[in-house]
């Protein structure tokens, strides 16, 4: 036995149990009322601590070219930050190049990721180009072990409604799952030009050009295409109130629609864009009004939200400053991969949500939905991706404690009650009381297969 | 008294009354139980006949450039056909040119229409271009007496979602009413290229590239923009089942959404596109499935449909033939202005709908919605636009009996029970037992003002 | 010509026209731009006045035994008050006795009504007892000319859900229309005993024992039985917000559901029950909260409300006083038949609703729905039930100006702008500038036949 | 270590793992990849077998007086049958007597149950009487450890809508959960008398007197009361299609509504009532049409159904025969407690549902919803309620193999693929390859506390 964690409280969606947990090699080998310390190489007394599965962040953008630059965390920095926040599996979006087969996209990006990753990782492929039979490379990617894809309804690399419908139909044919960034491109473009023409360039106009209904409309439309294609859909970063209702209505009709939301939408509202540093909060979709935030929390508690993920996509301050006077020049995205699990668990500590629900949203559901069979659950035979969490430790987020390469954090000053003490990735300690202690290149690419 | 119609049955949405009707000059002067024939210049005994307000066709395209040609009825031919079918007011769509102010569009087209029109006419302006402050020419057009406009969500002259939202907001500001041709451009484009790439060029693929959901999605989206702009919306040629539901849902939320449908959607289904002459039926949106047709009739009877209009836009056979092997080369549109009122009244004779409802849909409602204060009702002071209708006369539609310039009709062979005997336009007889007896240039431009 | 009304403004749902109107005998004989005064026995110059069809009050309870007494207006007093408020047709509810055939109910009550009625009247029969084949007497009543019936879901004479369903099925079989008083009896009973047990006996607890949801639930249930029976339903005195939504939802499913509301729900809220004279306002359903009132007005303007009626059922002050300390001892009901038409027209004058809509709700729709073919419309051949209305006359409602036998009015002090000058019943002047000038027994029983 | 189950496949809602499971005393002590057999008193090789948590049947009626007799399984026979079907926790409904405090009801029934129960058991109390402050005995029962109650909307012991609303309000106040048997009493009564009057007494008329909409209406009404009381609701034996939709709609509004269905509704349709032995299938609600059954399965798979339970309430053939000619004389209810878990697992084997979902519905959810903290999950510290299941064993249900005291089974002849080999109740073997090997009185009363 390589590691024995004694007397901890293990939490799953099914509840809490007081038990010992043993690790042999990279796997959890036992969960028991009492495991003798005898043969254990290392014993930890977790009395008073929570023993949790490592979180899965199904939505990050590492080293991604965007807005004339590249997101500031590469695969090492991003996965290091993840490890230090108790996240042991990171999904990155690999952006297809024009003319590129989808498996080639994965291979191209994996060449970057493999030598850098500090925890295990996986790819969704973001599809841009269907021409010349490229759409049929979906099946090849599924067979390769990358069965999840994304389409953008916005940005210049977004797809048309016609392409999106075709992609969904192909996904149905080969058992893939399509995620969607849902906002209405044309309304945004129109509002942006109006505001700029009127001389309104501050971050507040970023919100005004993408208000609630711009997202809700696209949610509704995306779901319609999924209905026509008769296939599941995963909506990333759902941030608006009406979208929650739209998802529920779709499910009541029998559709499988997953909804992801992000910690930033649960903590901040659009009011942040009125702050002097508003541009640092610019991401898309933007934070929304209080009614949307309230609805997202309610949706979490009534089972509408399927997963929490971060949309981690940081840019340095000097890059954010490009858009000081013109919000369209601000690269979209913020850091968050290190904050998700601590933030959600702290909210459980406050009673806003149950610990069990947090484990379901941050660990079990992403594992199940995206086919990570060895992840998300503390059970014998699963990967020993484990977080030791101290529910009593106070922690205030400040930039200097973070492990991203980004030079600032929108979470600056946010106080948490409870924080991770240690993170294990496949049995290896990678984070210990504030410090990254893992190793670049330790993380492995997850090949996945979706459950039918 | 210039004309006395005795003993007829006058029909309005309020019911039938047996009464005499007198005309002085261009106006109806009296409706009474018995008017002495004494001073009447002309007396007609309408015993056994219906005396009806002339119909209003709120949707025609006369002399319209489209698909590389021009629709085959000019303002004379189109209004002549209208007169012969009991329609005494014809709305035409004046298409804005790029860079053109909207009142200029009206003046430009009115120069063509004024010398030709055989019955009264009005314009909606189809908006294509908002740039350079052209959007503010909406108010000028409203003040000029043209308070209704149209946007297309399809075709190269369609507008973006962003433009549509702006137009609706401007319409709210100046009290205008926006109509919309609702189909999803991107899905159509995608399907069209797929079908053509697969070698499918027959008229049946015109339907397959624009099936029910392509229209329903756009209905839903268009209504959303109207909701955001907080202004009424008029959906032209609603042809799909789900669209009916969407309209009802919107109304239940408090929105003012008018829905127009056309006789061709009530009589034909998409099966016509499998016929050898299927290309003659090509119009957009295309005829839909039986379920849609059934729902449209049900919607008429439960009050969801606001108006009936024709989308009259005929093309000659040789032009339709351009698309024999490639449906995208078929000019979209069919003749119908002469058939609407007789067809609907015949359906009332069959009991599919009440006569009262037909008068409401074809006369009263378009007059009320589009601000034709002198039209649509048989009452003293109103324009003497009158149809004498024989509910017992059998009539089979054939091309030789029609008065359009188009060389064929999709209504060929359709049997009606009941047919107009005479049509009066502002007191002047313009149609008499099969023959046009009116005069080119008699029709006047209606200047209108919408009721709040 | 017996009467000629010149230069008035005639209003229908189709709009306003400036015209002369002639009456011969009991009928309207002509509507015309100009009718020569020559042969007219009496000529009225209505310049500046509105000429309106007399209103139809489809909901009154005259001389009705209830709450241990009898409502204070007999057939003379009630119809006299109606005439003085511009209402020329009064529907009364004839309550079936146990064991009584429904036609016998009509005959029994008509023996009281015929010698007394000052304007025309009709009966709905309120069904209490289906046993011993009495349900089949529905058809006989329909054949007799009484095709509309009512069921109560409350009161000791209310019917069970099972009976209601049977009645609706029988109504479908013989083409009758069922009205329903929808409130949940059991919840009311439970709340009443709770409040009384707690010593709460004031009028405010009348409201609390019958709040919004008590009505909404019964609306929903009643509509369900109509759906199962596949037959139309008429909901009387709809007073709650959610009920409006329920009606709209039912219509969107294709059901024919009519909704009536009453002026008291449009003017007062439940706050009146906190007034010292709160008991005078006790009726069932009670006035509701502001949100319900707002929704009712919105529903009127978006076409959800079918008719306005009064539920006129007055009790004297000494009777209302019985319940000073125990609201269950207050006879339920208020006077209103004289106030409906003036109130609604005054609201049109204020712009809250259009005059056209008021005529539709108070005249045309009740005539059409309940099969009063000779009523509701100003057209040749129709009964000369006419109101001359002065839109400029100010009027404050006070008890001394009312013509009911009741000794008080809940409308005391309400100011109206505009008031009826004269009322004609079948050509006979029955009300003239504040005074009843008609005759007891002038009114005739309307035999009716519903339109399919 | 008292028991070691090696090499089995453990199933939870989170998936399957291959692991060893150890039991010490009455508790599960370890789950591990490999547990040495060394100190184990008993070792079972479960290679090829499933190791499952014992099922929880949240709905049975043991020794219940009903229909003039008493249900034929007493607490021993019923729990013995449960054990033999892999069900290790049985909920019984204790029926309040008139005038009885609710804790007294529990004590009265527990005096019967305690000496008889073969597996652990719990009580819901069915409330009949609220008078004289009895409603406040709810809180006492909650404190006692019985926090779940039931109301009937039908039967002579059912409650009125007013009582139901009061009970829900009290439940909210003291944190109790209310279950409801939802059917419309009045419509049933009316239909029953109609059918009997027409001479229709066969079992088929049992169905016709309680068709789909009779249940749907009550579902809707019950949920409305829960909404007004702002408290959760648990709908027992949901059997109709529309009810599923109603539950989903309620949840989308934010209500907590649990829905239970039963194996008999998933296997049989109303067609069984046309069989010669149709009366044996008489239970309430009755089996419904195919559309309802299809919807129930769909609802299971899209997460609408919360739990599976049996409504086990058997009557002997001679009792069922009482109603040979008059269905109202048939005692309502069927045996099922032994069939639930094998049936659902067999359906998982067929692919109709996943094994994971069956464990969620039959074990985890009832434990969580009804506060059985020690049950439903295979984890260290939980009660050793374990089922060894052979997914390959064929089994045809016949009366002689069943362990109920009832002399027949509606499941006769139903073929299953897969069957339990052994059942353990708190570590004790109680069922072994076809035979009950447990002990009367072994089962203990569960005292429970609901999670907020």
């Amino acid at each position: 036995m390589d590691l024995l964690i004694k007397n901890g409280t293990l939490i799953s969606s099914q509840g809490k149990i007081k038990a010992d947990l043993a690790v042999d090699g990279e796997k959890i080998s036992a969960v028991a009322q009492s495991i003798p310390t005898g043969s254990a190489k290392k014993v930890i007394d977790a009395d008073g601590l929570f023993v949790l599965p490592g979180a899965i962040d199904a939505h990050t953008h590492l080293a991604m070219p965007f807005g004339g630059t590249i997101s500031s965390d590469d695969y090492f920095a991003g996965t290091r930050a993840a490890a230090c926040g108790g996240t042991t599996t990171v999904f990155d979006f690999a952006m297809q190049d024009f003319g590129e087969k989808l498996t080639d996209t994965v291979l191209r990006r994996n060449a970057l990721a493999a030598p850098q990753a500090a925890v295990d990782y996986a790819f969704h492929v973001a599809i841009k180009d269907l021409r010349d039979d490229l759409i049929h490379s979906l099946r090849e990617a599924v067979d390769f072990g990358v069965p999840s894809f994304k389409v953008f309804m916005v940005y210049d690399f977004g797809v048309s409604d016609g392409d999106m419908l075709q992609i969904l139909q192909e996904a149905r044919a080969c058992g893939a799952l399509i995620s969607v960034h849902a906002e209405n491109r044309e309304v945004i473009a129109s509002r942006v030009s109006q505001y700029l023409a009127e001389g309104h360039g501050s971050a507040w106009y970023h919100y005004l050009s993408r208000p609630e209904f711009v997202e809700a409309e696209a949610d509704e439309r995306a779901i319609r295409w999924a209905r026509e294609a008769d296939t599941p859909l995963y909506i990333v970063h759902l941030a608006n109130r009406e979208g929650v209702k739209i998802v529920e209505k779709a499910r009541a009709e029998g559709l499988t629609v997953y909804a992801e939301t992000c910690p930033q939408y649960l903590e901040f509202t659009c009011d942040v864009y009125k702050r002097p540093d508003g541009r640092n909060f610019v991401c898309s979709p933007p934070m929304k009004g209080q009614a949307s935030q309230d609805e997202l929390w309610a949706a979490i508690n009534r089972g509408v939200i399927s997963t929490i993920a971060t949309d981690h996509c940081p840019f340095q301050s000097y890059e954010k400053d490009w858009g000081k006077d013109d919000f369209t020049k601000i690269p979209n995205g913020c850091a968050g991969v290190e904050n998700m699990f601590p933030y959600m668990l702290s909210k459980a500590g406050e009673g806003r949500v149950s610990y069990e629900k947090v484990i379901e949203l941050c660990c079990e559901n992403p594992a199940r939905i995206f086919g990570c069979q060895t992840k998300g659950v503390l059970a014998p035979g699963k990967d020993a991706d484990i977080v030791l969490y101290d529910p009593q430790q106070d922690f205030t987020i400040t930039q200097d404690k973070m492990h991203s390469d980004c030079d600032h954090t929108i979470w600056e000053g946010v106080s948490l009650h409870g924080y991770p003490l240690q993170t294990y990735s496949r049995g290896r300690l990678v984070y210990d009381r504030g410090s990254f202690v893992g190793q670049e290149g330790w993380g492995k690419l997850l090949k996945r297969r979706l459950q039918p």
Side-chain angles (χ1 to χ4, degrees), chain A:
Chain A
M1 198 189 327
D2 294 296
L3 172 64
L4 172 57
I5 302 172
K6 287 196 69 72
N7 305 317
T9 297
L10 280 65
I11 308 183
S12 76
S13 63
Q14 294 308 314
K16 303 183 185 70
I17 59 169
K18 187 99 185 161
D20 294 355
L21 182 147
V23 173
D24 273 280
E26 301 191 349
K27 299 286 180 185
I28 294 168
S29 57
V31 177
Q33 285 194 293
S34 177
I35 303 178
T37 56
S39 66
K41 293 190 188 142
K42 180 172 166 192
V43 178
I44 296 172
D45 183 2
D47 189 43
L49 302 181
F50 291 167
V51 182
L52 309 174
I56 298 171
D57 186 345
H59 190 152
T60 74
H61 300 275
L62 302 180
M64 186 175 81
F66 184 79
T69 177
I70 187 164
S71 62
S72 52
D73 277 340
D74 62 13
Y75 286 96
F76 177 48
T79 53
R80 180 182 66 203
C84 297
T87 288
T88 50
T89 306
V90 173
F91 277 74
D92 179 61
F93 288 99
M95 306 289 290
Q96 178 194 22
D97 274 347
F98 284 96
E100 189 180 44
K101 287 175 60 181
L102 301 172
T103 316
D104 291 342
T105 306
V106 173
L107 295 174
R108 175 170 53 81
R109 293 299 290 187
N110 194 41
L112 290 179
Q116 295 194 338
V119 297
D120 290 350
Y121 62 95
F123 291 108
H124 311 288
V125 184
I127 306 176
K128 298 196 293 196
D129 187 5
L130 316 186
R131 294 166 308 170
D132 300 328
D133 230 32
L134 285 173
I135 194 169
H136 295 120
S137 70
L138 233 104
R139 184 179 298 273
E140 192 189 57
V142 171
D143 293 343
F144 178 80
V146 176
S148 55
F149 303 87
K150 181 178 182 183
V151 294
F152 289 86
M153 295 170 84
V154 285
Y155 302 133
D156 52 354
F157 47 83
V159 298
S160 76
D161 285 346
D163 281 359
M164 183 172 174
L165 182 52
Q166 269 194 68
I167 290 168
L168 286 160
Q169 288 167 331
E170 183 68 16
R172 172 170 167 73
C174 58
L177 176 61
I178 304 301
S179 296
V180 61
H181 175 142
E183 291 184 291
N184 183 292
R185 183 178 8 204
E186 293 177 350
V187 171
I188 295 168
S190 164
R191 301 204 141 203
V192 163
S193 15
Q194 279 180 272
Y195 292 133
L196 291 186
E198 294 163 14
H200 296 308
S202 79
W204 175 244
Y205 289 87
H206 175 67
Y207 166 65
L208 288 186
S209 63
R210 312 174 94 110
E212 273 77 351
F213 77 89
V214 165
E215 188 185 336
E217 186 281 329
D219 292 332
E220 192 162 50
R221 185 154 37 102
I223 287 173
R224 176 178 288 276
W225 306 143
R227 184 190 300 121
E228 286 308 321
D230 188 22
T231 200
L233 181 72
Y234 180 98
I235 299 179
V236 300
H237 49 47
L238 186 78
N240 78 99
R241 183 174 195 272
E242 189 189 348
V244 171
K245 303 293 185 190
I246 290 169
V247 167
E248 286 185 292
K249 187 168 158 291
R251 287 186 191 158
E253 291 170 18
L255 276 73
T256 299
V257 179
Y258 302 109
E260 166 195 295
T261 194
C262 308
Q264 57 269 35
Y265 303 117
L266 297 170
E267 176 66 13
F268 304 112
T269 68
C270 52
D271 287 348
V272 294
Y273 298 115
K274 296 175 172 166
R275 289 168 44 167
D277 63 342
R279 64 189 170 282
N280 288 344
F281 292 82
V282 164
C283 56
S284 292
M287 323 304 177
K288 300 286 165 59
Q290 190 63 51
S292 281
Q293 185 179 96
D294 293 345
E295 182 70 29
L296 289 174
W297 276 111
I300 282 175
N301 283 308
R302 72 175 185 267
V304 185
I305 299 298
S306 314
T307 61
I308 305 287
T310 66
D311 198 7
H312 180 85
C313 187
F315 293 94
Q316 305 294 4
S317 298
Y318 78 91
E319 293 163 326
K320 289 286 190 180
D321 288 351
W322 293 341
K324 222 183 288 199
D325 303 317
D326 175 352
F327 64 88
T328 65
K329 298 202 162 52
I330 306 169
N332 282 205
C334 308
V337 72
E338 191 166 356
N339 312 106
M340 173 178 80
F341 208 29
Y343 173 75
M344 292 304 297
L345 290 164
S346 178
K347 287 292 165 185
E350 292 174 24
R352 187 92 200 238
V353 60
S354 69
Y355 287 111
E356 287 83 350
K357 181 52 102 172
V358 172
I359 301 306
E360 184 185 333
L361 293 172
C362 295
C363 309
E364 295 172 359
N365 281 357
R368 181 176 52 77
I369 293 169
F370 290 115
C372 313
Q373 279 85 357
T374 60
K375 305 290 188 187
V377 175
L378 294 180
K382 299 287 180 183
D383 285 347
D385 288 359
I386 301 166
V387 173
L388 273 189
Y389 178 85
D390 181 353
Q392 298 307 332
Q393 185 187 333
D394 287 321
F395 186 94
T396 298
I397 302 175
T398 54
Q399 169 57 17
D400 58 300
K401 299 182 209 140
M402 295 294 99
H403 298 81
S404 155
D405 275 351
C406 188
D407 64 355
H408 68 282
T409 170
I410 59 171
W411 295 90
E412 187 77 31
V414 172
S415 290
L416 307 180
H417 188 62
Y419 208 76
L421 275 186
Q422 293 191 324
T423 306
Y424 294 83
S425 165
R426 281 181 283 112
R428 186 195 200 293
L429 186 67
V430 291
Y431 166 77
D432 193 21
R433 295 173 173 76
S435 302
F436 176 70
V437 297
Q439 181 188 337
E440 201 171 349
W442 164 261
K444 287 188 184 159
L445 172 65
L446 283 187
K447 298 223 180 164
R448 299 170 291 121
R449 197 156 305 283
L450 303 185
Q451 297 300 336

